[in-house]
Amino acid sequence: MSISRFALASALLTSGGVLFETSAKAQVAADPGSAEVAAMGDIIVTAQRRDERLRDVPLSISAMTGQQLRDAGINNIQGLTAATPGLLMDAVGSVTIPSIRGITTQVTNAGSDLNVAFYFDGVYVFSPNTGMLDLPDVERIEVLKGPQGTLFGRNATGGAIRVITREPGNDVAGSLSASYGNLNSVGIKGFVSVPVIQDRAALSVAGSYEHNDGYLRSIQNGDYVSPFRSRTFRGKLRLDPIDNVKIILFADWWARDDTATGFAVPLNGNTVGRTIPGTILLPGDPYIVAQNPIMPITNTNDHYGYGGTVSIDAGIGEIKSISAFGEYKLHAVNDADNSVQPDGTYGLLYDSYSTDRAFSQEVSFSSKLPGKFNFVLGAYYINGWGGFTPLNVLDTFSVSIISKQSYNAKALFGEVYYDVTDRLHLIGGLRYSHERRSLGSGLFIYGTDSALGTLSPDVAARSWNSFTPRASIRYDLTPKSNVYFTFTKGFKGGIFQSSAFALNPDGTLPLADPETVYSYEAGFKGTIANILDLNIALYHYDYKNLQINNFVCVPTSPAPDAPCTNTSVIQNAAAAKINGADIDATLRLGTMFAVRAGISLLDAKYTDFKNAPVNDPTRSGYDPIAHTNTGTVLNTGNVPLIRDLSGYRMIRAPKFTLNVSPALTVPVGDDQLRLNATVYHTSPISYTFDGRIQQKQYTTLDARASYTFEKSGITLAVYGNNLTNTLRIASVFATSAGDAVSYMRPRTYGAEASIRF
């Protein structure tokens, strides 16, 4: 890090720059719309499956209440990037890929798992196609940083993001909002809760609808070709049959059409489309794209799910059961060459249908014993599958891949908490995990070379076991400050290649074995003079056996002149070390003004990556036998090379990020005027292993001004996101077909009216 950045970080801390590390479960009485924010350490959180003060939890936690999300203009999971230090939310197609402190994934096929776990109302989200859900009725969002190997163990090597929505209450309550903005954007969101039987049953319903015309235009006719539409519905029924038993039944459905995620622009004009006669190339404008005339770009996904939670207060503790079933479906058409071919030709298209489906069950007991000793015990089970139904690769010949990857995972976990003295506290935990995966896959080739025939389905299966411990020590310096040290291990299960049709030499299907993370974190949490909350976390990760995805052109038969088709290959590739710091604070100046900010400093590098796969732009002197690529860059696609990238910076791991969010609340008689802004800055971000494709450093500004008529509950607001109109990469798809880059929305703005009752 440069001296100037260190000076900037220090200046922010000493002048009251603060973190977005506010509350989780807001049991401290405070007006959520007021700038007078309760002391961070006094807020109650449930990051350890127990009600505890935030300062007493030896973990790095960021959280935002529903009101804070609204004030910041965040209406989906992706918006958390600008509000949470150390978190980056990227998208590849319809999949949102989180990165926490440099830990992320490239593997997003059907049946795969992210390594930052999502939880919605305590239910593990098993599909990678779920990260961009709209947020109509959120009570709070918690971001747990670092491996959560004990309590939230399954595939939480990077951390966990927990979304908690509002429960039905015993009083009639609700909200309704409508908004309109540029891009012809229309949004409607609502929530209502009503008692059915006083103190015994209550019902709530939440829903949202959003539409806009999109921000991408077709090179063929100039029309907008990236319309967006999202619909969400959630229903909850709360039953309290007796005083110590609470039952919540839930069901949800959402559907999303977002064609913008299927379009991309060839970076520097690098596309295999140049080799196709008559091809119309894109001019290089990030918002001008190619629409295939034969098969239009498509990206639609939908979900339904249902389940129930039972909580029993047993006096000495709480027994809790969470049961859930869900299904996710996706249909995506992507133009891999990102150019326009003459009528009658595809160019290179991916036409993908996929399904993910699973049932999960968790049972836990959290003790509430008097004295120095307490504990948490639990068991977890999930059974599901995901696969392509099918994945079609359309070229001069065509390939269809049908796959079904099934998994069955079980775990036992527990943590104990012991107060050695009034100031010294110990935590020890352990999780045992067992996971089995199997894959059935079939390949069907047709088109110009039908003689290639059919590959019969090959079935493979593997099992893995893991023990993931946790140990923490906390020492209270004062009643409102402490220091801590935590060791944890994270585990991400192995996975088969869902789209594989090239077999290993021994006849087995490609797979990646589990990856592990060993985390060491030391920190300070404290409140100074009752106006400044300060959190500092220093961490070191040993990251081993990273699972990566590489796109190559794989021959469809052993013949020397056999055609090849672009597909992904999964493998274990590297080891890495990550060192970093999160510096967080909250400054409260009276009842009207507060500032929150966060600083992330990150040094994340591959330490052993000797056989790194690299897609390099084709040059005039490319030699496929010698595996050398020299001469003039042709920009006709990429060629696969192997390089030693040990010492290179990891993907999606910026060295420095900063967010600053001032909030001013001005009483106007009985009413309130609120002014909120968020400034976000990031250093460059690598999107390829060799750093060839990077997002340049940038700064964005989001702002919102609202006026609330307290007696009526009506709020009028204006908002703007990315007011700097910064060009930001959403995803990178570097394959042998070229360098495809998608971009996020440009500047957006609008007005909103809402009512709460």
Side-chain angles (χ1 to χ4, degrees), residues 18 306 380 557 634 693 715 744:
V18 293
Y306 53 85
Y380 180 79
S557 82
L634 302 178
I693 302 178
T715 297
M744 299 184 195

Side-chain angles (χ1 to χ4, degrees), residues 75-76 134-136 175-178 187-191 207-210:
N75 57 16
N76 59 49
D134 296 332
L135 306 173
S175 64
L176 179 66
S177 67
I188 301 173
K189 295 184 178 183
F191 169 83
S208 69
Y209 174 84
E210 185 179 355

